[in-house]
Amino acid sequence: MEMRYIGGPTAVIEIGGVRLLTDPTFDPPGEFPVGARVLTKTTGPALGPADVGPVDAVLLSHDQHPDNLDPAGRAYLGSVPLALSTGSAAARLGGPVRALPAWTAADVGPVRVTAVPAQHGPDGTEHLVGEVTGFVLSGEGLPTVYVSGDNASLDVVRAVAGRVGPVDVAVLFAGAARTPLVDDYLTLTSEAAATAAEILGAREVVPLHFEHWTHFTQGRETLEKAFAGFGGKLNLLAPGEHLVIR
């Protein structure tokens, strides 16, 4: 498995000869309205759409927030053969976006992509934050990879671990995101990410979506501290960095 970190929630995952892109965000820094709120992006991507190269599918955790799918990312979806996401995203976006309900799977070449639950905030806030999904990648002779999406719930992580067993690599969206929408975290804190890695039995962790936006309240330093006692390997990538996991 190989990964290249582009920025925010966006990375290229290469596994089994298949190239997958998570949550496309390619816009430069700026302000992005979400209803009455504004999300502020501080750093642009390390690679643009033309630099990414062809991909076999996009793994889109959700479409309703610009820090996971910005205008340039929406335009990019028109150039890909397939995007797997929530039912509500498929209804809104159409085109190559296919709904993949929780615990159902789609095969992309030799890689089985299984949608798994995600909870983008505290209990009882789905009507405010909207539908979100995570993914598990697997296949014969391939590592098992969990991509959390914007999940804030360790109970959800336990449910995933109970269904898929230990994972080789956990790609965890972290950052302890907060906005005025709800009075709690919208994504995993650094400490919760470390706990999630233990629950999943992960041997390698790659955090995503913990920087480049002002609504993140934790980042690299808190992740390093929280994972200090982790029995596996924490891979804190720099934007543009390429990682090989064997």
Side-chain angles (χ1 to χ4, degrees):
M1 171 186 166
E2 301 183 26
M3 285 189 66
R4 186 175 297 276
Y5 175 40
I6 295 173
T10 312
V12 178
I13 299 174
E14 299 188 40
I15 180 172
V18 171
R19 301 185 85 240
L20 305 168
L21 182 78
T22 60
D23 288 4
T25 54
F26 292 114
D27 275 344
E31 294 187 342
F32 297 80
V34 185
R37 296 165 289 125
V38 173
L39 301 183
T40 301
K41 186 176 187 178
T42 59
T43 304
L47 301 174
D51 305 312
V52 169
V55 301
D56 297 288
V58 166
L59 305 179
L60 179 62
S61 67
H62 61 300
D63 70 307
Q64 63 267 28
H65 299 141
D67 58 325
N68 294 86
L69 183 68
D70 59 19
R74 287 174 182 268
Y76 175 79
L77 289 179
S79 69
V80 302
L82 174 67
L84 300 171
S85 192
T86 65
S88 52
R92 285 187 289 258
L93 296 172
V97 183
R98 172 181 165 187
L100 197 63
W103 308 119
T104 65
D107 291 333
V108 183
V111 179
R112 172 146 290 192
V113 180
T114 303
V116 296
Q119 181 177 306
H120 195 359
D123 293 347
T125 59
E126 183 176 307
H127 66 293
L128 296 173
V129 298
E131 188 181 13
V132 183
T133 191
F135 304 94
V136 170
L137 314 178
S138 60
E140 185 175 354
L142 300 177
T144 299
V145 182
Y146 168 60
V147 181
S148 72
D150 275 5
N151 174 60
S153 170
L154 289 176
D155 285 340
V156 165
V157 174
R158 291 185 184 97
V160 172
R163 290 283 289 262
V164 305
V167 305
D168 297 293
V169 183
V171 180
L172 301 177
F173 289 26
R178 298 199 74 158
T179 76
L181 183 65
V182 298
D183 188 23
D184 207 338
Y185 296 113
L186 295 164
T187 56
L188 294 172
T189 65
S190 297
E191 295 77 12
T195 301
E198 298 289 354
I199 292 169
L200 293 160
R203 61 182 179 87
E204 304 249 6
V205 173
V206 185
L208 292 182
H209 211 26
F210 60 89
E211 58 186 357
H212 303 154
W213 293 82
T214 59
H215 59 287
F216 291 124
T217 65
Q218 297 179 2
R220 289 180 179 271
E221 290 185 2
T222 55
L223 282 165
E224 288 176 344
K225 181 178 179 181
F227 277 85
F230 177 52
K233 183 179 180 183
L234 174 67
N235 300 283
L236 268 174
L237 304 181
E241 185 175 353
H242 178 252
L243 172 71
V244 178
I245 297 176
R246 293 184 172 86

